[in-house]
Each structure stands twice: as structure tokens, then as C-alpha cells.
Amino acid sequence: MGSPNNVAEHVLDRLATWGVHRFYGYPGDGIGGIFTALPERDDAEFVQVRHEETAAFAACADVKYGGSPIGCCAVTSGPGAIHALNGLYDAKLDHQPVVALLGHTAQTAQGGGYYQEVDLSTLFSDVGGYVAEVKDPSQVRHIVDRACRSALADRTVSVVILPSDVLEAKAVPEPPDAHGYYRTSAVPSTTPGAPPADALIAAAEVLNAGEKVAILAGAGALDASTELTEVANRLGAGLSTALLGKGVVDDRSPWNTGAIGLLGTTASWHLMRECDTLLIVGSTMPYTEYYPAPGQARAVQIDVDGSRCGIRYDTEVNLTGDAAATLADLLPLLAERPDSDWRAHVERWTTSWREYSEQRAHEHTTALNPELVVRELSDRLPDDAQIAVDCGTATSWYARDLTLKPGQQGALSGTLLSMGGAMPYAIAAKTAHPDRPVVALVGDGAMQMNGVNELITVARYWRTWADPRLVVLVLSNDDLSYVSWETRGMLGEPPDPQSQAVPDVPYADWAKLLGLDGTTLTERSVIGSVWDRALSADRPFVVDAKVDKDIPLVPPHVTLQQALNTARSQVAGDPDALSIIANGVKETVGAKARSLLGLAPKD
């Protein structure tokens, strides 16, 4: 590319030097200059989605799936920018580097109550770690550089506001060598390595002194799978994962107790409540009641951001550094424990949970058992599959019932926990890696929220993918079932059908209307064959699974208050009371009894 002619071209040039070559968005006149400049470039890809919220979600997910070093969305002024906020908060809370390009009212009209004029600097001041408006062409270089550097260094959102008239102004690629101007670098800063030796020694002393070591791993450990496994084996430790850390160690490992927290396993509950030492790696999982009891365990934490250490548990040593580098330097300082009685305990808890969970999935329910639908996917997942997960009961079955193996990756809106994230994530995964298969797990509420519209985006782009497989599982039960269970368990009230029921929509038929493929799944006996068909299809495929909404979301440790509230909701006239009681008996008492007796799961 030659020298940029205007500010819009200069912005894209400077972003390209930082590795930003993909833009998710939806056009509008407020940011029209960017969309005019994009088609002229051979180093930029634009993905037109159906809504600006999707653009921001996809920009975040693009980084999570390893597609881009910095995600980027480009949206217009006023309403377009407002729409993007939800997806940008997803990036902020999950610590993903994203740059948002926001169109804005022309400077000449600002302050006059112009159409779509919104105070973007104020509006985005919370979500953006760095927020700046380009008011003069000479600012482009230093504002874009600062935005990208801040996004990478702080792993957060940077916001660049671009008034429509400034975008058309003549570019100033080389700022004057004069007072009041900056000359900045587009070279990324180095990333943190390992902490100093004395801190590592202090951490090793704590870990070596323990006899029952537990590890909690989160998203910050995802690039440290090898090192984490070596440390766990050296210590004879058990490992549990926060939701965003799922897959950091092979889910089939006998000492991987699985998910922790409200959607976690009983094995993880026992691991945390019976350990005497805790190592936290790259996680700030906020449910403190699922950590060891206060004063129970000595604790060490590793995080790339020191401000996130010691904020969930009373840690004794906090190590600020990259997880892989820190664990690698820590390993030689740790004492070998080849025959650990503690590890044997952990493996028994894990085996017991897996047997019980298998029994739960195979219990016969009124409609399809959603756990069985998801479990039947596990053994069929291609080795390089990417999983996109929505918020709701789909999250529960992903955390508990889907087995991730090395080479596979799952992602979701893990801290914001926003509905409507799975389809944008799936689109980003396919855009970032068009040669890899993707499976999206979506509840019918989220599918109606934005999924049906984003199938249009899928229909537009799927022919450009090297591997056309994108399978969308819709867990269809005509109910916002996760919220219904929260209403029962937390409030002790029956859910109100006026707010909780959602319409029955023919999702597979809609997919076919768009030129995709799909089927409605109602029979237990064909679950496996439907998955086989979907995963071998020559185009994106929607599985509309009619699942039972009355499957109890039993936490790994049920408090007396939760039990009383749920019972009270049934007495209060829950219309699904009989089905809930029947399923609850089968999925808890019945499944537990069969697993304890060593009986095979029901076919």
C-alpha cells in the first residue's frame, strides 16, 4: 500500500502494523469512511454480521480462538455504537484485547443535538481501558498505537472514536517534529515472563509442605497445558477447572475433577473442601463458597496480572507472571511425590462422579434428556473441533457432559455470562479457522435472541470455508429453563409462564430455507445417528433437539436453603411439579443408586 490519502486509510494502515487484519461490523454513515477504504485493501477482511452486538462478541471470540492478536469491530455512531457495548463488556470481563472503531457525529455538528449524536466518550468510559477521539489527522498514529498497545498490555478493550468528517480529512502519517505532537512506536511491548527466584522459592516451600494439593486452573492457564500437567504430576495434585479453563488438561485425565462452582462436579467440591494446599493458576472464579473453607488451605496464586491475585482466597504467595514460564521455573523446585494417597482419593472421586453423571444422562425423561444429547457428541467430536457455548442450561451440559480432548477448544462469554454469545462465537471461530469444524451449543431462548438472524450470516459466508461444517445444536424446550431453575432454587417460587415460556420455532426448517441443512430430533434412539449426519454434512447443519425442560440443575453441593426453596416452589403450584419430581428422583436418587451398584446405564 502506498501513503494513505485520508484519515480512514491511515487508521487501517496503522492497525495493520499491529496485526489487525479482520474487522467485524455493520456499516453506517457515521463510520462510512472506514467502509469505503476497506474494499481497496488486500490485507483486510471484513465480516458483515447482522447486528453490532454480534460484531463485538465476534471480535472478542476471534482472539479467544487464536485468530487474531487483537480483535476489532467497526460500528457506526449512536445506536450502532450502543449496540456494541454488550460484546465489548464480554471482552473486558474476560480480559481479551479488542479495539473498537466507533463512528461519530461530524465535529462541525457536535454539541448541536444532531441525529444519532451520543456522548461516546462518557458512554464507553467504563468498558474501555483506553478511550480517545481522533479530532485532528495528526493524532491517528499515536491514538491507534496507544489503543493497540493498551489492549495487548492490559488485555482489555480500547475505544477509538472517529468523527465522520475527520475520517475524510487528509492523512498526516508523519506528525510534525514540534511541540504538542507525538511520534509513537507500533512495536508491541514484551510480555511478562517468570517471577524472581526468591518468589518462586517461597511458593515452592508452601506447595512442598502440603500433603493434599489442589489446583484450580482458569483461562490464564490455557497456553500452559504441558507445564500444568508436569506440576500436577510432580505434586500428586488433583485439578479442577473454572469454566473458561475447561480443556486446559485432557478432560479424560483421572485426576482432572472437572468443572468447579455452581455448574461443577461433586469431585471438584471434595477436592477443594478436603485439600490442605491450593495452587490457583490464571483464574479468579468468583464463587468463593466453592474454594477451600477459610483457613483450611495454604495457597499460592499465579496470574499475569498481579492485581487479580489474592482477591478470592487468602493466598500466601502471589506470583505475577506468564503461567507457562512460571510453572516451568517452579517445577524444578517441587518435591517428587510418585505414590500419592491423595491422588488416589482424587481419582476415586472423579471415577464416582463420572459414573453417576453417565447414569444421569441415560435416565429416561419425558422429552429428550439434554445431558444424553450432549454426551453423545463427545465421542464424535472431530479432533480439531471448536465449541461455541451459550449462557443457560447449555452451559451446564457443556461444563459437565462434554469431554474436551487435546486439540479441541471451547469458548463462551465466561464472566459476563451473556445470552446470545454462541452464534457470534461460532462465526468468529469459522472465520479465524475456516478449515476446522465448529459446534455451537445454544438454548432456544438465545437462539431466538440473535441466533436465527446470525444463521443468515452463516448462509452468506459458509461457501468460503475450507471445511463447511458448522453444527448448531438448539436445546429446544420452549422455556428459559436456567432462569426457571434459578427462580425455584433461589426465590422458592414457581416460574411464571408469561415471562419464562418462549415460542416453539422450527429452527431446522429455517436453516433449510436459508440453503443450509438440519433436522428436528425427538427420538432417543437416533441421537447418535443425527450427530453423525450433522458432523458429516456438506454445509452448516442445525439440530433442533426437543429436550426436557424439567431436568434438575443440581449443584455439586446442595445447601439446605436451596433444597427448601425448590421444595417450596413445588408446593406453591409449579405447573411442572410432577415432571420435576419424577425427573429429580430418576436423575439423582436413581442414577446415584445405579452408579453405586455398578449397573450399566439404561439404553
Side-chain angles (χ1 to χ4, degrees):
M1 301 294 292
S3 181
N5 294 308
N6 59 24
V7 165
E9 293 180 6
H10 190 195
V11 168
L12 295 176
D13 280 355
R14 205 63 184 176
L15 286 170
T17 64
W18 286 91
V20 179
H21 300 289
R22 185 175 296 125
F23 302 82
Y24 297 92
Y26 203 82
D29 65 336
I31 198 165
I34 292 292
F35 286 97
T36 301
L38 273 172
E40 305 301 318
R41 307 182 69 90
D42 56 11
D43 65 344
E45 176 184 13
F46 172 62
V47 182
Q48 186 205 78
V49 294
R50 312 273 63 77
H51 195 280
E52 293 90 352
E53 178 183 79
T54 297
F57 268 129
C60 171
D62 197 297
V63 181
K64 288 185 176 182
Y65 288 112
S68 303
I70 302 172
C72 189
C73 65
V75 300
T76 194
S77 57
I82 294 168
H83 283 165
L85 271 171
N86 195 49
L88 293 177
Y89 269 105
D90 180 45
K92 175 185 177 177
L93 297 186
D94 280 354
H95 308 288
Q96 300 301 311
V98 169
V99 171
L101 304 180
L102 309 183
H104 195 24
T105 304
Q107 281 197 310
T108 54
Q110 286 181 24
Y114 199 71
Y115 287 119
Q116 299 186 333
E117 183 181 358
V118 172
D119 184 353
L120 296 180
S121 294
T122 299
L123 183 65
F124 284 79
S125 61
D126 180 57
V127 76
Y130 174 74
V131 181
E133 180 177 344
V134 177
K135 299 180 179 181
D136 185 273
S138 65
Q139 294 178 290
V140 168
R141 176 167 165 169
H142 79 79
I143 285 179
V144 172
D145 285 352
R146 181 85 177 270
C148 291
R149 188 179 307 283
S150 298
L152 284 173
D154 298 331
R155 300 199 63 80
T156 192
V157 174
S158 290
V159 176
V160 177
I161 301 169
L162 301 163
S164 57
D165 53 346
V166 176
L167 282 171
E168 300 299 323
K170 183 176 176 57
V172 181
E174 296 293 333
D177 183 14
H179 181 73
Y181 294 91
Y182 302 107
R183 297 186 65 82
T184 52
S185 164
V187 178
S189 305
T190 60
T191 55
D198 59 340
L200 291 167
I201 292 170
E205 289 175 349
V206 172
L207 296 172
N208 286 333
E211 296 181 358
K212 298 183 290 185
V213 181
I215 299 174
L216 169 59
L222 287 175
D223 293 327
S225 296
T226 299
E227 295 82 1
L228 190 64
T229 300
E230 291 175 343
V231 166
N233 285 332
R234 179 70 58 89
L235 292 170
L239 176 137
S240 65
T241 56
L243 191 57
L244 287 172
K246 183 176 173 65
V248 65
V249 169
D250 191 334
D251 278 345
R252 299 168 299 179
S253 171
W255 45 269
N256 180 352
T257 61
I260 190 174
L262 195 61
L263 309 181
T265 71
T266 55
S268 292
W269 168 262
H270 286 300
L271 176 71
M272 290 295 154
R273 285 288 154 159
E274 298 190 30
C275 70
D276 62 16
T277 308
L278 174 64
L279 173 61
I280 306 170
V281 184
S283 175
T284 54
M285 194 278 294
Y287 291 141
T288 55
E289 67 271 29
Y290 290 95
Y291 286 80
Q296 170 192 319
R298 301 178 70 187
V300 172
Q301 186 164 357
I302 299 170
D303 203 290
V304 72
D305 181 353
S307 70
R308 298 205 292 269
C309 289
I311 62 173
R312 302 291 188 239
Y313 195 76
D314 187 7
T315 48
E316 192 170 329
V317 180
N318 294 313
L319 302 176
T320 302
D322 172 76
T326 302
L327 290 168
D329 282 6
L330 187 61
L331 183 65
L333 305 175
L334 300 177
E336 186 82 48
R337 301 181 193 181
D339 299 312
S340 170
D341 291 339
W342 168 245
R343 174 67 73 87
H345 279 296
V346 171
E347 293 183 0
R348 283 195 291 271
W349 292 327
T350 302
T351 298
S352 177
W353 164 260
R354 291 175 182 173
E355 290 174 350
Y356 164 59
S357 192
E358 183 76 10
Q359 294 285 355
R360 274 181 57 103
H362 282 84
E363 290 296 334
H364 288 261
T365 51
T366 306
L368 287 175
N369 189 327
E371 295 196 80
L372 183 62
V373 175
V374 174
R375 277 185 168 262
E376 286 290 303
L377 169 63
S378 284
D379 291 338
R380 293 174 168 84
L381 268 180
D383 291 342
D384 60 345
Q386 299 176 107
I387 316 300
V389 187
D390 222 294
C391 179
T393 54
T395 320
S396 303
W397 314 139
Y398 164 72
R400 291 181 170 184
D401 293 296
L402 192 69
T403 301
L404 292 185
K405 300 180 286 290
Q408 299 169 344
Q409 182 184 5
L412 72 159
S413 174
T415 308
L416 185 62
L417 292 174
S418 174
M419 288 178 63
M423 285 301 292
Y425 271 52
I427 290 166
K430 287 301 296 187
T431 305
H433 303 288
D435 57 339
R436 295 177 63 175
V438 170
V439 178
L441 308 181
V442 193
D444 50 1
M447 196 65 186
Q448 292 181 24
M449 187 175 283
N450 65 354
V452 289
N453 284 337
E454 293 308 333
L455 280 179
I456 300 172
T457 306
V458 172
R460 174 173 181 164
Y461 289 108
W462 74 266
R463 290 177 179 84
T464 68
W465 301 335
D467 184 331
R469 291 177 294 173
L470 191 164
V471 182
V472 181
L473 170 65
V474 184
L475 294 164
S476 182
N477 56 21
D478 304 336
D479 186 71
L480 298 175
S481 51
Y482 195 93
V483 180
S484 293
W485 280 106
E486 288 179 321
T487 302
R488 296 181 182 109
M490 295 182 181
L491 303 179
E493 298 290 339
D496 179 7
Q498 292 296 317
S499 63
Q500 296 306 112
V502 296
D504 183 14
V505 174
Y507 305 103
D509 292 344
W510 170 236
K512 291 177 181 178
L513 188 64
L514 294 172
L516 311 177
D517 203 356
T519 190
T520 300
L521 175 61
T522 59
E523 297 298 324
R524 175 190 179 97
S525 61
V526 298
I527 293 173
S529 60
V530 165
W531 275 123
D532 291 337
R533 178 183 164 196
L535 290 166
S536 61
D538 64 353
R539 64 194 61 205
F541 195 103
V542 172
V543 177
D544 182 5
K546 302 302 183 181
V547 298
D548 202 314
K549 69 178 184 297
D550 296 328
I551 304 302
L553 297 177
V554 181
H557 176 70
V558 182
T559 67
L560 178 60
Q561 190 60 54
Q562 288 169 331
L564 289 173
N565 284 345
T566 303
R568 190 176 71 188
S569 75
Q570 307 309 290
V571 175
D574 193 327
D576 299 311
L578 292 178
S579 177
I580 289 169
I581 293 169
N583 286 336
V585 170
K586 286 186 287 188
E587 281 236 342
T588 53
V589 179
K592 178 61 72 175
R594 292 182 68 84
S595 65
L596 289 174
L597 292 172
L599 301 177
K602 295 180 179 179
D603 56 24

